[in-house]
Amino acid sequence: MSKVKNNNGYLGVTEPISLSGPTEKDLTQTAEVEKYLSDAGLYESQEEAVSREEVLGKLDQTVKAWIKKATRISGYGEQFVHEANAKIFTFGSYRLGVHGPGADIDTLCVGPRHATRNEYFFRWLHDMLAEMPEVSELHPVPDAHVPVLGFKINGVSIDLLYANLAHAVIPEDLDLSQDSILHNVDEQTVRSLNGCRVTDQILKLVPNIPSFRTTLRFIRYWGKRRGVYSNVMGFLGGINWAILVGRICQLYPNASPSMLISRFFRVYSKWKWPNPVMLCHIEEGSLGLPVWDPRRNYRDRGHQMPIITPAYPCMNSSYNVSVSTRYVMIQEFTRAFEICQAIDEGKADWDALFEPYPFFESYKNYLEVNITAINEDDLRNWKGWVESRLRTLVLKIERYSHEMILAHPYPRDFADKSRPQHCFYFMGLWRKQTNQAQEAEQFDIRGIVNEFKNNICAYQHWKEGMDIEVSHVKRREIPLFVFPGGVRPSRSSRTAHKSSRAVPTCDVSAGQVENVLGTVSCSDAQPVPYKGSYTKQPEPDYSGCFQPPGITSVLLSSLPNKEATNGHANFHAESVEREHPEHQESTFAPVQNAVCHVVKQQNSLLPNSNNDWQSYGFGSSLNSSQRECADRAANNLLSLSPAIRAVPDELDELTSYHQVKVNQKDVNADQRPSLEGSSEDNLEQTCSLWPQDSNNLKRKANEELEVLSFLLHE
């Protein structure tokens, strides 16, 4: 395992921004923060804490009895059966000390090599748990990316993973932090062990654990209230938020929680994604396991908000983030920082930060995903599968429309009491605006919606009655059951909510629809041919931001509307409006262009052969010498010095669909509020993560990129 501190004596990959401690005012605000969290009911009672300890003790006894039974069934002698052992470890929010009342406990069972996952864990242990009267809601998911066994013991929710080590006997003093335990294990075991290893390493890499815990508890609550806490939906989950907070603690090691909260929003509203957030340097390790490296790993190049785990093998924990969800989160960071400034000036209170995001008042157009099943068990399984795949619909919409149409998925489901065995999800749609005038463009997303349905209906455990419907609904048609108390907010209430909106909600309207999509069940879902055209390519967006409205118009031709016309569901044609919070009267309107630093360019995947150039449409415009020169330039871009391998720079972060370039120009210093006075340069350097000694290398690569760009656009 790598050293916790580097040679300079500080935690993290860069020096701290400030070593300043809290003032009297900061200590007062920290006391307010702690009281706010307590009043919000985020701390469990002593009785519940004791109950959790008892449940973990019961689980530990159960797995020890299970492993002895498994060892005896495997044919080993009684002496070996007597020595057989399995251990329970905790990780996640419970291990970090930031869990709240009723929260799940993430646990890991570590067993010896002869107790295999499928045969013994998901069969024998499952059967033992099923026979226990205190166990309920037993739900195995053996085919998940990280196989898990979910259940409740005495009402306490448990998510149990399994790690099948290469040990003959598991010692009681097993140290999971040692890289050697990863030797000769399968991928599922590596992923299962990663949770514990990452959690323990985070606690080692933060300078002040109590301040870290208070800040993380605050940020987690804020993320849930503002609708950006959901890894499965493309936002961020528990481990992501923990790493982000841990990095702020490293940058301000002596700060109090109230200071850390403000700095958190300040730093990440200006972070130059896709530069990664890391708590320590990425190490190759001695076992040859793949680590996050966009220079060598193709999949890593498309990550939007890399947040790298600190334990070997270092991975990106936020690979689910899309262009749409990244933008939503950045705008939320910006809004929150402005509120923190207002709190510091006595112009706002902490309640302003936690005002729920008015999702159903923020957009004019939504996609409604309605799923149904025959019974509760089938619906629970069906719901889990659909929820895990919803982010793919967001990606399809982005790619299909060349990122001109973006989707904001709401991170929770809804139920209509009048319609049992139904579950609803919603996505808000808005149109991306560029700084260049362009003709109105129509996108027909019926084909990708049907493709999404077909993928959903390929569920391995599909049963009769499991159906899915995707339809377009306008804001005024949103069903009442999604609103608190079943009451739609009045127009005046919606106006009052405008100050809490952070995402531009341009109207996405429709062109003429030749055919429509009705309810498609898994038994009759068929792909619909794409009726649009790819001949009109979007202009490169050199701002990376959502610009003020211009004269452009983007049309979306797509899905059935809730209202039928002449027997057909219709997506009506209408003009495109822009509803950007910056053009409304808002106390906390986000600052335009303050957080967008990514430049998207066309034709991102650099071809490696003449055939590749042909497939990208350059065969007719480039001769052999030009292609050779372009190939050479592309290879040079991908062979930069290993000195900066851990941090993707502006020339190497090649995404799967477009090449991105980090904009080195931030907002002018005179337009930004000072964070630490003279430490503004440190913040700029930290958000860029540029090594000091790579200027010549970057300049040379820049020249090569200019040559390549000239050839591609000649």
Side-chain angles (χ1 to χ4, degrees):
M1 184 60 61
S2 60
K3 295 181 180 180
V4 173
K5 290 190 177 182
N6 58 30
N7 295 332
N8 293 323
Y10 56 79
L11 295 169
V13 296
T14 63
E15 294 181 0
I17 291 177
S18 173
L19 298 176
S20 300
T23 63
E24 287 297 326
K25 181 179 180 180
D26 294 324
L27 294 176
T28 301
Q29 288 184 336
T30 295
E32 294 174 357
V33 166
E34 292 173 344
K35 183 178 184 305
Y36 192 96
L37 296 177
S38 178
D39 293 344
L42 299 183
Y43 295 94
E44 68 178 0
S45 64
Q46 183 62 31
E47 293 78 10
E48 187 173 359
V50 172
S51 176
R52 287 177 182 273
E53 292 293 333
E54 293 175 350
V55 164
L56 289 174
K58 180 66 176 179
L59 180 60
D60 187 63
Q61 294 175 5
T62 302
V63 298
K64 290 185 184 305
W66 159 74
I67 198 61
K68 293 184 183 300
K69 179 179 180 180
T71 303
R72 185 176 290 108
I73 293 174
S74 299
Y76 290 95
E78 285 303 314
Q79 180 62 30
F80 197 79
V81 170
H82 177 73
E83 296 175 354
N85 188 32
K87 281 186 63 65
I88 291 293
F89 296 87
T90 62
F91 62 99
S93 62
Y94 185 81
R95 176 72 179 91
L96 289 172
V98 295
H99 62 286
D104 297 348
I105 303 180
D106 295 314
T107 55
L108 170 71
C109 175
V110 177
R113 58 176 175 243
H114 62 271
T116 57
R117 179 178 294 102
N118 291 333
E119 177 66 18
Y120 290 100
F121 181 76
F122 280 109
R123 180 182 173 187
W124 292 103
L125 181 57
H126 173 275
D127 293 345
M128 286 183 64
L129 291 171
E131 294 173 357
M132 296 170 59
E134 57 266 52
V135 173
S136 61
E137 299 183 23
L138 187 58
H139 179 58
V141 191
D143 53 351
H145 185 67
V146 181
V148 60
L149 192 59
F151 53 92
K152 287 184 177 181
I153 298 182
N154 293 331
V156 177
S157 296
I158 301 289
D159 286 334
L160 183 62
L161 311 183
Y162 183 60
N164 184 29
L165 301 187
H167 294 56
V169 176
I170 302 299
E172 274 296 320
D173 59 349
L174 179 67
D175 184 5
L176 296 183
S177 66
Q178 299 299 317
D179 291 349
S180 58
I181 69 168
L182 302 177
H183 187 64
N184 288 337
V185 298
D186 57 21
E187 292 183 7
Q188 289 90 344
T189 291
V190 173
R191 298 190 195 108
S192 299
L193 288 167
N194 197 46
C196 289
R197 288 166 54 82
V198 167
T199 302
D200 290 344
Q201 191 69 354
I202 289 174
L203 293 174
K204 293 178 182 178
L205 288 168
V206 295
N208 187 317
I209 292 179
S211 294
F212 164 77
R213 284 174 170 162
T214 300
T215 306
L216 179 56
R217 193 183 294 272
F218 185 98
I219 295 299
R220 283 163 54 95
Y221 183 54
W222 169 85
K224 292 175 182 178
R225 295 285 290 180
R226 295 302 296 177
V228 291
Y229 192 109
S230 176
N231 182 277
V232 71
M233 288 291 191
F235 295 102
L236 300 182
I239 196 65
N240 310 131
W241 295 112
I243 295 173
L244 291 182
V245 172
R247 183 65 182 127
I248 299 302
C249 292
Q250 291 179 341
L251 295 174
Y252 301 92
N254 300 320
S256 63
S258 65
M259 299 168 64
L260 293 171
I261 290 166
S262 176
R263 273 50 169 188
F264 177 93
F265 295 122
R266 163 70 165 161
V267 169
Y268 292 122
S269 67
K270 305 181 88 56
W271 194 269
K272 296 180 179 179
W273 307 104
N275 278 316
V277 175
M278 302 185 297
L279 296 180
C280 59
H281 291 288
I282 296 176
E283 295 186 358
E284 294 292 333
S286 59
L287 301 179
L289 296 175
V291 297
W292 187 82
D293 186 350
R295 287 176 175 76
R296 293 186 297 181
N297 304 328
Y298 176 81
R299 290 185 178 180
D300 296 344
R301 300 175 187 176
H303 294 168
Q304 300 294 325
M305 292 181 68
I307 302 173
I308 310 305
T309 56
Y312 175 78
C314 297
M315 309 174 189
N316 176 24
S317 62
S318 55
Y319 57 86
N320 281 351
V321 174
S322 67
V323 173
S324 300
T325 54
R326 179 190 66 185
Y327 182 74
V328 171
M329 287 187 282
I330 291 175
Q331 292 298 310
E332 285 295 325
F333 292 150
T334 304
R335 169 192 176 272
F337 175 63
E338 291 170 352
I339 294 177
C340 286
Q341 288 181 298
I343 292 173
D344 192 58
E345 297 170 359
K347 299 178 181 179
D349 55 25
W350 296 107
D351 285 330
L353 268 177
F354 295 100
E355 184 177 352
Y357 184 79
F359 179 78
F360 292 105
E361 294 107 58
S362 297
Y363 303 96
K364 285 191 174 182
N365 292 275
Y366 297 83
L367 292 183
E368 177 188 282
V369 179
N370 175 16
I371 64 173
T372 183
I374 293 179
N375 55 58
E376 288 291 338
D377 289 338
D378 286 355
L379 182 62
R380 182 172 61 251
N381 296 334
W382 185 229
K383 171 184 169 183
W385 167 250
V386 173
E387 189 173 274
S388 70
R389 307 305 299 168
L390 279 176
R391 68 183 184 88
T392 65
L393 180 56
V394 176
L395 295 175
K396 289 176 185 295
I397 292 174
E398 291 176 354
R399 296 169 186 171
Y400 207 69
S401 66
H402 320 298
E403 295 180 8
M404 293 300 297
I405 304 297
L406 299 185
H408 178 181
Y410 195 70
R412 56 156 289 195
D413 61 281
F414 295 89
D416 183 0
K417 294 182 179 179
S418 65
R419 303 173 66 186
Q421 317 309 333
H422 279 260
C423 180
F424 297 85
Y425 296 91
F426 292 88
M427 291 184 185
L429 299 178
W430 83 92
R431 174 176 57 88
K432 179 178 178 180
Q433 298 250 350
T434 67
N435 59 349
Q436 299 182 11
Q438 60 188 57
E439 298 177 1
E441 185 173 2
Q442 178 172 303
F443 296 100
D444 186 342
I445 68 171
R446 291 174 297 175
I448 63 172
V449 167
N450 261 4
E451 180 184 347
F452 168 74
K453 291 178 181 178
N454 288 331
N455 292 339
I456 291 295
C457 294
Y459 180 43
Q460 183 178 359
H461 304 289
W462 181 88
K463 295 182 180 179
E464 188 68 31
M466 292 182 175
D467 289 330
I468 181 172
E469 175 188 357
V470 182
S471 57
H472 160 252
V473 293
K474 296 184 178 181
R475 182 168 57 199
R476 63 177 178 270
E477 301 164 351
I478 294 294
L480 295 179
F481 60 78
V482 307
F483 299 106
V487 179
R488 189 184 307 276
S490 63
R491 184 173 298 274
S492 58
S493 299
R494 292 200 298 266
T495 303
H497 271 304
K498 287 182 179 180
S499 63
S500 68
R501 289 168 50 178
V503 179
T505 55
C506 313
D507 179 34
V508 177
S509 60
Q512 290 71 26
V513 180
E514 297 179 12
N515 297 307
V516 294
L517 291 177
T519 303
V520 179
S521 67
C522 292
S523 60
D524 59 9
Q526 296 293 332
V528 174
Y530 173 58
K531 297 184 180 298
S533 173
Y534 281 102
T535 56
K536 174 74 170 84
Q537 295 293 330
E539 295 294 331
D541 177 10
Y542 293 103
S543 67
C545 299
F546 292 80
Q547 299 298 320
I551 60 174
T552 64
S553 174
V554 177
L555 301 179
L556 177 67
S557 174
S558 117
L559 300 177
N561 192 275
K562 286 294 186 180
E563 298 176 351
T565 304
N566 296 328
H568 296 285
N570 205 352
F571 197 179
H572 302 287
E574 60 186 351
S575 61
V576 178
E577 284 184 48
R578 180 172 183 78
E579 292 181 42
H580 197 291
E582 295 159 16
H583 303 291
Q584 301 165 352
E585 295 181 2
S586 171
T587 306
F588 308 114
V591 179
Q592 183 74 9
N593 295 342
V595 297
C596 301
H597 301 274
V598 178
V599 174
K600 300 177 178 62
Q601 299 178 3
Q602 282 181 285
N603 307 319
S604 62
L605 303 180
L606 298 180
N608 297 317
S609 67
N610 290 345
N611 291 335
D612 289 333
W613 287 112
Q614 287 282 357
S615 65
Y616 274 72
F618 298 122
S620 60
S621 60
L622 297 178
N623 57 37
S624 59
S625 62
Q626 288 174 325
R627 284 196 293 267
E628 181 181 355
C629 183
D631 284 337
R632 185 166 58 253
N635 290 332
N636 289 336
L637 291 179
L638 297 176
S639 60
L640 299 181
S641 169
I644 57 174
R645 177 174 297 168
V647 183
D649 60 38
E650 62 187 19
L651 302 178
D652 288 321
E653 189 62 18
L654 305 178
T655 70
S656 299
Y657 298 94
H658 50 261
Q659 185 175 11
V660 296
K661 179 181 178 183
V662 178
N663 185 358
Q664 303 254 5
K665 297 181 180 179
D666 198 358
V667 180
N668 294 335
D670 58 347
Q671 297 176 350
R672 300 180 303 192
S674 175
L675 179 63
E676 294 292 343
S678 60
S679 64
E680 187 70 33
D681 292 338
N682 292 338
L683 174 60
E684 183 73 14
Q685 178 184 354
T686 300
C687 292
S688 301
L689 284 179
W690 285 113
Q692 295 281 348
D693 57 353
S694 63
N695 290 334
N696 293 335
L697 185 62
K698 289 188 296 178
R699 184 162 51 252
K700 178 180 178 181
N702 258 318
E703 295 172 355
E704 294 170 339
L705 182 60
E706 291 175 0
V707 173
L708 176 63
S709 178
F710 170 77
L711 289 173
L712 296 183
H713 296 87
E714 193 176 34

